[in-house]
């Protein structure tokens, strides 16, 4: 009997080699609802990936879907650059009343473009404009995007190498616990700022993630963040918090920095701000930093009106009270308890866990084991990905709307996959 090779799919013959997630999950997905994706053969998969954090409210959330369909059915505007529209007005009014005012945050809102890296680029540009300086400090294992300015403040060597040119005006500093607690916080940073011979130009800003998602679920302590905010004030540097993946309730509060009690000068949001997975990003900043000239920073798709519609519905539905926040914290404690037991069971593998709210990771001493756990989880119907500089962490990002039964089902699959990969 002659064996024949399978015919390559159109994804293999036409799509670029740069594709990645489809290699880890080699099926063709057809539909999705809530916390589940379904392939073209009808098999369901629990989604603890959630669009890399873009689907905090699940797939095709019925409330958001109805708002979007109603808007489209009445011929609502889909593209308007930064023209004033009823959809934009509704979003701004709702964002002010549901998010900014309850937290006494004075921010102006900028629509820089549709993706997270657009927001980061705008934040970096504005900080440099405001301070008249070029240098920006970032942190080890940071990830801020794939465009050149964002890559310059990203730590991952593989991602940085893709730029093809030198990445300048960014200086990394140790993230919280990077040195294992062996040195006082910001000792090196402070010394460089004090020493005229250090070679560090006075930075315009510091950019930080409160929890490094792509960097391996590295969680900054509240006291570390407060010390960083204080350092920025004392040294005349702007504090930028990148809340693109950890904002919109992922850690419990709407903004991940709320627990630390700080007010950053600039905040970037994207991913789940639209609520529905539609492209949208925001750059928020204190009013005194609103130094832009009209059109000085723009983009063709900075006014995604369908995203305004779903974002407004998400804010009205989930941020009019504290129910989602409390539920996220309760479910987070459930995840933490299960992961603690799982890591204790596999202490010989060097498995450790960390996280907050509904973002968690399991790190393995034998780094290749994380990818094997994700592979086996997929076989059992659960989507999880790796993170960390060497893919050593299994990352959990379930939708915030996940049911208790779905959460337990996913954690059971994860535990089974860890055991099988041991």
């Amino acid at each position: 009997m002659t064996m024949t090779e399978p015919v390559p799919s159109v994804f293999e013959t036409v799509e670029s080699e740069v594709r990645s997630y489809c290699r880890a999950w080699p099926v063709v997905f057809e539909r999705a609802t809530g916390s589940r994706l379904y392939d073209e053969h009808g098999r369901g998969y629990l989604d603890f990936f959630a669009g890399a954090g873009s689907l905090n409210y699940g797939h095709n959330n019925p409330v958001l879907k109805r708002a979007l369909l109603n808007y489209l059915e009445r011929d609502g505007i889909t593209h308007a650059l930064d023209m004033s529209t009823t959809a934009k007005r509704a979003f701004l009014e709702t964002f002010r009343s549901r998010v900014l005012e309850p937290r006494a945050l004075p921010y102006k809102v900028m629509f820089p473009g549709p993706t997270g890296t657009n927001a980061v680029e705008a934040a970096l540009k504005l900080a440099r404009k405001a301070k008249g300086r070029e240098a920006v400090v970032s942190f080890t294992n940071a990830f801020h995007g794939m465009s050149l300015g964002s890559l310059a403040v990203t730590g991952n060597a593989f991602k940085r190498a893709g730029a093809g040119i030198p990445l300048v005006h960014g200086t990394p500093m140790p993230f919280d616990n990077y040195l294992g607690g062996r040195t006082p916080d910001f000792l090196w940073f402070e010394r460089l700022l004090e020493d005229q011979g250090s070679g560090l130009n006075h930075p315009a800003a510091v950019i930080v993630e409160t929890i490094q998602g792509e960097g391996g679920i590295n969680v900054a302590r509240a006291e570390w963040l407060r010390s960083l905010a204080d350092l920025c004030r004392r040294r005349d540097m702007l504090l930028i918090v990148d809340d693109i993946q950890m904002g919109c309730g992922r850690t419990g509060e709407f903004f991940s920095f709320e627990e630390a009690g700080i007010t950053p000068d600039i905040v970037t949001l994207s991913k789940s701000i639209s609520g529905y997975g539609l492209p949208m990003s925001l750059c928020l900043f204190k009013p005194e930093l609103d130094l832009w000239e009209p059109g000085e920073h723009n983009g063709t798709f900075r006014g995604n009106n369908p995203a305004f519609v779903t974002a407004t519905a998400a804010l009205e539905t989930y941020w009019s009270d504290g129910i989602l926040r409390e539920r996220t914290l309760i479910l987070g404690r459930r995840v933490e308890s299960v992961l603690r037991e799982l890591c204790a069971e596999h202490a010989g593998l060097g498995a450790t866990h960390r996280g907050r709210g509904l973002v968690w990771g399991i790190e393995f001493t034998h780094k290749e084991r994380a990818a094997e756990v994700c592979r086996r989880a997929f076989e059992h119907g659960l989507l999880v990905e790796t993170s960390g500089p060497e893919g050593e962490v299994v990352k959990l990002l379930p939708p915030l709307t996940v049911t208790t039964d779905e959460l337990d089902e996913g954690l059971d699959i994860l535990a089974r996959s860890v055991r099988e990969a041991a």
Side-chain angles (χ1 to χ4, degrees):
M1 180 177 179
T2 303
M3 300 296 291
T4 59
E5 292 291 326
V7 177
S9 71
V10 68
F11 306 109
E12 297 168 295
T13 58
V14 177
E15 191 177 2
S16 166
E17 291 298 317
V18 78
R19 65 191 187 278
S20 60
Y21 291 115
C22 57
R23 298 179 189 273
W25 304 321
V27 297
V28 179
F29 293 106
E30 184 174 41
R31 62 187 182 89
T33 180
S35 301
R36 295 186 191 272
L37 280 160
Y38 297 87
D39 68 21
E40 60 185 343
H41 302 296
R43 185 186 179 190
Y45 296 81
L46 259 179
D47 185 3
F48 279 21
F49 171 66
S54 297
L55 295 163
N56 281 3
Y57 312 109
H59 292 275
N60 286 305
N61 183 291
V63 176
L64 312 190
K65 180 167 66 173
R66 178 42 52 195
L68 178 59
L69 290 175
N70 288 344
Y71 181 76
L72 295 176
E73 285 170 354
R74 65 174 184 266
D75 292 330
I77 293 169
T78 58
H79 184 269
L81 290 99
D82 71 350
M83 291 184 284
S84 298
T85 65
T86 56
K88 184 201 280 190
R89 180 173 61 198
F91 169 73
L92 286 170
E93 290 174 346
T94 305
F95 190 73
R96 179 178 60 191
S97 64
R98 299 302 187 196
V99 176
L100 298 181
E101 289 179 343
R103 295 161 179 79
L105 293 173
Y107 295 136
K108 298 291 289 291
V109 179
M110 175 184 180
F111 302 104
T115 69
T117 197
N118 295 133
V120 171
E121 294 286 354
L124 297 176
K125 186 189 288 189
L126 180 59
R128 287 166 172 145
K129 179 180 176 69
K131 292 300 182 183
R133 310 180 207 127
E134 295 82 20
V136 173
V137 165
S138 56
F139 291 94
T140 50
N141 290 313
F143 180 82
H144 295 291
M146 298 294 284
S147 50
L148 293 180
S150 300
L151 276 177
V153 290
T154 287
N156 186 285
F158 174 71
K159 305 293 188 187
R160 290 174 62 89
I165 62 171
L167 297 170
V168 297
H169 306 306
T171 302
M173 292 291 165
F175 191 72
D176 191 15
N177 202 42
Y178 183 74
L179 299 174
R182 295 189 299 274
T183 60
D185 295 337
F186 308 113
L187 176 67
W188 175 239
F189 195 177
E190 289 258 30
R191 180 67 180 129
L192 291 181
L193 290 170
E194 293 168 354
D195 185 358
Q196 294 300 304
S198 71
L200 175 66
N201 294 331
H202 190 178
V206 176
I207 185 168
V208 66
E209 303 155 277
T210 65
I211 300 174
Q212 296 180 326
E214 300 306 308
I217 317 300
N218 304 312
V219 183
R221 293 167 295 136
E223 54 267 35
W224 187 86
L225 292 169
R226 286 192 289 269
S227 295
L228 176 60
D230 178 66
L231 174 61
C232 288
R233 281 192 299 270
R234 289 188 288 104
R235 297 291 184 173
D236 187 31
M237 302 178 295
L238 297 178
L239 176 61
I240 304 169
V241 168
D242 181 340
D243 231 6
I244 287 166
Q245 188 169 82
M246 298 304 157
C248 302
R250 176 55 58 181
T251 64
E253 304 289 354
F254 186 86
F255 294 107
S256 69
F257 56 80
E258 291 183 58
E259 181 190 52
I262 62 174
T263 302
D265 299 292
I266 303 175
V267 180
T268 60
L269 286 176
S270 187
K271 291 191 182 288
S272 275
I273 187 59
S274 81
Y276 203 73
L278 297 174
M280 179 178 175
S281 74
L282 307 178
C283 186
L284 313 176
F285 39 82
K286 293 179 177 178
E288 60 269 26
L289 296 176
D290 196 5
L291 305 174
W292 297 112
E293 296 292 334
E296 188 176 5
H297 186 97
N298 57 27
T300 304
F301 296 100
R302 64 191 182 278
N304 188 349
N305 281 257
F308 293 155
V309 171
T310 53
T312 300
L315 295 177
E316 291 284 12
T317 303
Y318 295 104
W319 296 101
S320 296
D321 53 38
I323 293 175
L324 181 68
R325 172 190 176 276
E326 291 304 317
R327 187 175 184 277
T328 298
L329 295 176
I330 290 170
L331 294 180
R333 288 193 286 271
R334 168 63 177 158
V335 176
E336 182 178 19
S337 174
V338 171
L339 295 190
R340 183 186 302 113
E341 293 177 6
L342 184 61
C343 289
E345 177 186 340
H346 295 280
L349 302 178
T352 56
H353 71 285
R354 53 184 177 263
R356 219 175 95 206
L358 277 177
V359 51
W360 290 88
I362 306 176
E363 181 176 2
F364 292 92
T365 302
H366 298 290
K367 305 181 190 305
E368 68 282 354
R369 188 162 278 124
E372 178 64 13
V373 169
C374 292
R375 186 185 69 79
R376 290 179 179 271
F378 172 72
E379 293 175 351
H380 299 311
L382 174 69
L383 303 185
V384 286
E385 69 164 338
T386 61
S387 70
E390 298 180 75
E392 70 276 22
V393 177
V394 175
K395 178 181 178 182
L396 307 181
L397 281 177
L400 307 184
T401 53
V402 66
T403 68
T404 303
D405 287 345
E406 288 170 338
L407 185 65
D408 288 343
E409 179 187 349
L411 292 173
D412 286 344
I413 293 174
L414 177 66
R416 175 183 175 184
S417 301
V418 171
R419 295 183 186 108
E420 291 177 350

